[in-house]
Amino acid sequence: MSSIAFPRPPEDTAAVIALRTEFRAFLDKELAGRSPRARSDNWYGFDRGFSRAMGQAGYLGMTWSKQYGGHERSAYERYVVVEETLAAGAPVGAHWIADRQSGPSIIKFGTEEQKELLLPGIAAGELAFCIGMSEPDSGSDLAATRTRAVRDGGNYRVTGTKVWTSFAHEADWVILFCRTGSGGPTDRQQGTSQLLVDLKNTPGLTIKPIIDLAGQHHFNEMHFEDAIVPANMLLGEEGNGWNQVMSELAFERSGPERFLSSIELLYQVIEALKGIDSDAAQITLGRVTARLAVLRRLSRSVTAMLQSGQDAALQAAIVKDVGAVFEQAMPDIARELIDAEPGPIAASAYASVLANITLNAPSWSLRGGTREILRGIIARGLGTR
Amino acid sequence: MLADMIERLLERHLDDSAQARARGGEWLPELWAKFEEMGLPLALLSEEQGGFGLDPADQGEALRLLGRHAVPLPVAETMGANRLLAAAGLPLAEGAAGLARADALTLNEGRLTGRVARIAWGDKLDCLALAVGDRLYRVPRSGWTVAEAGLALNFQPRPTLQIDWTADVSAPLPHCPLAEGSTLRAFQIAGALEAALDMTLEHTGTRVQFGKPLSKFQAVQHELAKLAGELACATAAADLAAEALARCDLLGVAAGSLRAREAAGSGASIATQMHGAIGFTREHRLQLFTTSLWTWRDEFGGQVSWAKLLGQAALDAGGTGYWPMVTAL
Ligand SMILES: Cc1cc2nc3c(=O)[nH]c(=O)nc-3n(C[C@H](O)[C@H](O)[C@H](O)COP(=O)(O)OP(=O)(O)OC[C@H]3O[C@@H](n4cnc5c(N)ncnc54)[C@H](O)[C@@H]3O)c2cc1C
């Protein structure tokens, strides 16, 4: 049978239900007074104070071993915390990448020294990470990476340019994907490695802003000019970068963030329609809610797979693909129900949220692997390539 | 186990000629007898109720198989009617059964009369499980005549029945037949989409144009990926509906039903497009699935009524109550 199996989602045990309740109360307190417009930033919000509070309360590094500051909870408990954080529109940027993918990569591939140096800080909400994969000539085709690291005694010397690096200007560390082999045709994937680079203490590294079309400074260009990275900051093995980066992307693609980016707009639509007797509103909201409920179920199935140690890369690609279509449809769905002129300065909470979501939605089917690349992955999973 | 048995039975007893006869409105008595022999009509009942006590995953698998093979008999309906009858403590069906909400019926001095529209294979059934208000009636075959012929998009009979019956068997309604039926249909839709994806993979993998199999073209691959996404959604939607039905949560049934129905339409359209003209013929097996998908997505409550139910609940929850409502589905 060709279909890609999704297992039953994990049970909502009493412990999970209690966690959800307790965490909702935490968010109510931490986010009191946060405006709808700010909540609609979703994971583009960056707030060290909030991330530290998350860390102190035990909501980061949830599945990691206590030895490294983790809390040894289940993948599903972490899922619950992540989806509640996003559904509440919390500013997660200062811990998001580290908690989701950098930390797990370090656990999987890092040395003892690296684990002790970095994991407790991530779990405490103190250390922010970013992702150094894309380059000017290497986007979807990640194996075309050119940034080069050359071994020089106890160091690597790094030269090259990374782009679209979210939060490089705020974060503490980047996991840099780079070329360590000769770069010959047989070496495209094998000749790559990952380095842990300290953004605040690396001579030869400059970070320049790239302003996005919403007018915000959230991603950057990172320029490495003979930058020095200690050799003990090699993550995993030299030459194993491609496999490691694929594993990192599996963490990146698996979560509920892939369909909740426009959830604040949905809340605002519902608020704006309250008390209005409209068949169109009922029908549309019914259909949207059905899509959302089913995406949530699929995403929880992916968590069940992660929890039992299965490879969920394909299932995650499906959730991200279907999820991006869902979240990107929201502005048009809203516009079919409510008249308003959206703008960065607008007349209502609804209109300013609509503005923010409209401006940011195009990025959701690009970041973390484009729609076209994901569909290629799914097609391969169906055996067509 | 049960799934293997169903699969083997269908391989042996449901070939294309049987499908063609059913499409002409012909009842397939041998196939029905085989299903009964196997006990399938009781598959949704607990052991105490005289069923197999299957776990929900196996129940779902059995129902999906009915869709995967486009079984042209009211097996799912009979399974659902029996679940309702058993839950109400009424006698089970002794043959095929139908289920419906029938609020237009009137009860006068113990006689139940009126029309019930579009019952699958309505003249071949042993009994009907009809909900009128908050009661469930078990109407035997002697209690109705066919008032009007009707056909579904898959060309199977959907007659309208004239009920006239001394209502001596009824009980408080355990759950709504529309929710029951819509959940069954969601599983059948998921099953038919499995078949549609398999056939589309097979077709695009073997049909050669421009010197290579269609599935080597990226545009085709992306459509296949979308179809796999719709299948994943339909399967999850059916499970979601079934879990909600078990806790009598109409909103969850609505959510699962709506998403499965949406997938029925988009999935059928991708599958047909990827087959080209051959998929638009009566001869090709794909039409068994596409026409059934288009049939099942509008039965047991329309798209609009289910959507309004869920949408109104969202409006009632309001912006702040919406997310907790979603996580409870
Ligand atoms: C908001 C945002 C944040 C980001 N943050 C980060 C970050 O923190 N770190 C980081 O490393 N990167 C980041 N990225 C970069 C992101 O990973 C890339 O944008 C993405 O991988 C696509 O690369 P590209 O933009 O170069 O597009 P290209 O690869 O040039 O693609 C352009 C178009 O062509 C299509 N295309 C490309 N190849 C194929 C093919 N083989 N078949 C069919 N179609 C194809 C693509 O799908 C796309 O539609 C971010 C991007 C965005 C938008």
Side-chain angles (χ1 to χ4, degrees):
Chain A
M1 200 168 71
S2 60
S3 66
I4 298 169
F6 282 82
R8 214 148 263 272
E11 291 272 331
D12 274 321
T13 59
V16 168
I17 293 167
L19 171 66
R20 199 186 287 280
T21 310
E22 156 207 309
F23 188 59
R24 279 181 181 165
F26 169 87
L27 289 174
D28 278 348
K29 184 163 108 350
E30 290 295 325
L31 303 178
R34 188 168 170 78
S35 70
R37 163 63 189 78
R39 287 175 192 260
S40 73
D41 273 338
N42 207 266
W43 36 304
Y44 293 158
F46 191 103
D47 178 344
R48 294 257 183 196
F50 176 75
S51 295
R52 226 172 272 129
M54 286 279 290
Q56 273 160 15
Y59 297 128
L60 298 179
M62 285 182 75
T63 62
W64 308 350
S65 129
K66 289 193 173 149
Q67 186 191 348
Y68 302 119
H71 304 284
E72 301 182 0
R73 302 191 75 158
S74 69
Y76 187 47
E77 288 175 306
R78 174 172 184 274
Y79 173 93
V80 167
V81 162
V82 168
E83 77 167 352
E84 289 294 330
T85 324
L86 295 170
V92 297
H95 67 258
W96 188 246
I97 289 165
D99 179 66
R100 177 181 71 181
Q101 64 194 84
S102 319
S105 275
I106 293 167
I107 289 172
K108 202 162 165 191
F109 301 111
T111 62
E112 199 48 44
E113 183 195 0
Q114 291 166 351
K115 290 180 192 173
E116 279 165 20
L117 175 71
L118 299 168
L119 294 175
I122 296 176
E126 305 280 350
L127 287 184
F129 272 66
C130 54
I131 306 166
M133 295 188 193
S134 306
E135 296 183 10
D137 292 323
S138 165
S140 298
D141 184 10
L142 197 52
T145 195
R146 281 196 201 151
T147 296
R148 170 166 298 281
V150 182
R151 188 68 185 257
D152 176 14
N155 295 313
Y156 283 97
R157 288 182 172 275
V158 182
T159 300
T161 301
K162 292 286 171 185
V163 284
W164 321 126
T165 323
S166 302
F167 300 122
H169 60 304
E170 305 255 27
D172 305 292
W173 291 82
V174 62
I175 299 186
L176 183 76
F177 180 60
C178 57
R179 192 160 290 291
T180 41
S182 66
T186 56
D187 214 28
R188 239 169 76 88
Q189 296 177 358
Q190 270 67 36
T192 57
S193 303
Q194 285 187 306
L195 294 178
L196 292 157
V197 180
D198 182 343
L199 291 168
K200 304 271 155 72
N201 297 296
T202 298
L205 166 62
T206 46
I207 296 171
K208 284 193 291 190
I210 305 176
I211 304 303
D212 66 27
L213 78 68
Q216 286 166 327
H217 173 200
H218 119 267
F219 50 35
N220 302 272
E221 179 178 314
M222 297 195 298
H223 193 60
F224 294 87
E225 177 110 51
D226 220 11
I228 292 173
V229 178
N232 64 355
M233 286 295 117
L234 172 72
L235 179 64
E237 284 170 45
E238 197 175 287
N240 195 37
W242 179 258
N243 294 330
Q244 293 174 203
V245 112
M246 287 301 118
S247 140
E248 184 180 339
L249 282 170
F251 295 124
E252 178 169 348
R253 286 175 183 154
S254 60
E257 66 271 26
R258 300 310 180 179
F259 53 91
L260 289 173
S261 309
S262 53
I263 193 79
E264 183 63 34
L265 179 55
L266 187 48
Y267 302 155
Q268 293 302 318
V269 168
I270 292 170
E271 277 303 297
L273 292 171
K274 228 175 173 172
I276 294 174
D277 188 23
S278 149
D279 283 358
Q282 290 175 327
I283 293 168
T284 304
L285 289 173
R287 301 185 71 157
V288 167
T289 303
R291 287 178 203 148
L292 175 58
V294 168
L295 274 163
R296 248 198 101 233
R297 189 181 176 93
L298 289 174
S299 188
R300 286 178 294 141
S301 293
V302 170
T303 306
M305 296 182 75
L306 297 179
Q307 196 148 294
S308 59
Q310 298 172 66
D311 175 6
L314 265 175
Q315 285 77 358
I318 289 185
V319 177
K320 182 174 183 312
D321 180 38
V322 179
V325 171
F326 169 80
E327 56 185 16
Q328 286 183 328
M330 208 60 74
D332 280 337
I333 287 171
R335 290 178 48 260
E336 276 171 20
L337 293 172
I338 300 164
D339 281 338
E341 289 184 20
I345 299 174
S348 65
Y350 165 73
S352 69
V353 169
L354 176 60
N356 197 31
I357 298 291
T358 303
L359 291 174
N360 280 293
S363 69
W364 301 336
S365 52
L366 297 172
R367 64 185 186 188
T370 69
R371 166 151 38 248
E372 289 72 24
I373 294 304
L374 290 172
R375 289 189 178 160
I377 292 171
I378 298 164
R380 192 180 312 131
L382 293 170
T384 65
R385 307 210 300 188
Chain B
M1 247 277 287
L2 178 65
D4 292 341
M5 284 166 62
I6 300 174
E7 197 92 71
R8 251 176 288 138
L9 187 152
L10 290 171
E11 266 161 35
R12 229 169 307 143
H13 299 279
L14 181 61
D15 56 13
D16 288 354
S17 91
Q19 285 283 12
R21 278 180 284 136
R23 195 186 151 110
E26 200 182 311
W27 179 255
L28 302 176
E30 311 81 26
L31 185 60
W32 180 264
K34 295 283 174 202
F35 281 131
E36 283 207 322
E37 228 168 78
M38 202 174 178
L40 201 53
L42 308 178
L44 303 182
L45 306 193
S46 66
E47 281 179 51
E48 303 83 78
Q49 293 170 327
F52 309 154
L54 291 181
D55 72 32
D58 292 333
Q59 292 180 0
E61 179 66 15
L63 289 166
R64 274 199 307 274
L65 278 172
L66 298 174
R68 193 175 163 74
H69 294 271
V71 170
L73 285 168
V75 186
E77 289 88 334
T78 306
M79 291 162 77
N82 275 332
R83 177 152 66 184
L84 262 176
L85 292 169
L90 296 177
L92 302 179
E94 278 162 24
L99 69 169
R101 189 154 249 306
D103 289 322
L105 296 186
T106 52
L107 188 63
N108 234 331
E109 289 169 15
R111 278 179 86 80
L112 195 62
T113 53
R115 285 184 164 206
V116 186
R118 299 184 69 84
I119 296 294
W121 299 94
D123 61 336
K124 307 290 190 221
L125 306 177
D126 166 69
C127 72
L128 292 170
L130 295 183
V132 183
D134 56 5
R135 288 197 78 76
L136 183 70
Y137 295 84
R138 184 192 186 284
V139 183
R141 181 63 187 86
S142 57
W144 76 83
T145 51
V146 170
E148 224 176 77
L151 279 183
L153 280 174
N154 61 7
F155 295 87
Q156 287 168 29
R158 292 292 188 275
T160 292
L161 309 180
Q162 175 69 46
I163 310 283
D164 185 357
W165 174 61
T166 310
D168 46 12
V169 191
S170 81
L173 181 66
H175 59 268
C176 175
L178 294 185
E180 177 71 54
S182 191
T183 302
L184 303 171
R185 288 295 189 246
F187 280 108
Q188 289 172 284
I189 286 171
L193 284 172
E194 279 176 15
L197 175 60
D198 276 352
M199 293 177 73
T200 308
L201 283 170
E202 165 72 24
H203 180 77
T204 57
T206 47
R207 163 99 175 147
V208 173
Q209 288 291 280
F210 302 98
K212 55 184 182 180
L214 295 175
S215 66
K216 296 294 166 196
F217 291 94
Q218 197 185 47
V220 171
Q221 291 175 355
H222 287 189
E223 291 303 303
L224 294 170
K226 272 161 63 183
L227 182 51
E230 290 304 293
L231 167 58
C233 286
T235 309
D239 287 335
L240 192 153
E243 281 172 22
L245 183 68
R247 21 168 237 275
C248 284
D249 167 17
L250 275 186
L251 296 181
V253 173
S257 301
L258 285 163
R259 187 61 186 90
R261 289 161 180 227
E262 190 168 82
S266 44
S269 126
I270 296 171
T272 312
Q273 181 69 17
M274 292 299 106
H275 274 77
I278 193 75
F280 184 61
T281 61
R282 175 185 288 212
E283 184 197 338
H284 195 275
R285 297 190 82 243
L286 182 66
Q287 60 80 20
L288 294 174
F289 301 96
T290 48
T291 58
S292 292
L293 287 166
W294 296 322
T295 297
W296 294 334
R297 67 178 174 169
D298 287 321
E299 293 185 321
F300 296 105
Q303 173 87 351
V304 172
S305 7
W306 281 116
K308 286 176 75 167
L309 177 79
L310 186 56
Q312 186 56 50
L315 288 164
D316 292 343
T320 46
Y322 180 71
W323 178 251
M325 176 195 126
V326 170
T327 57
L329 286 173

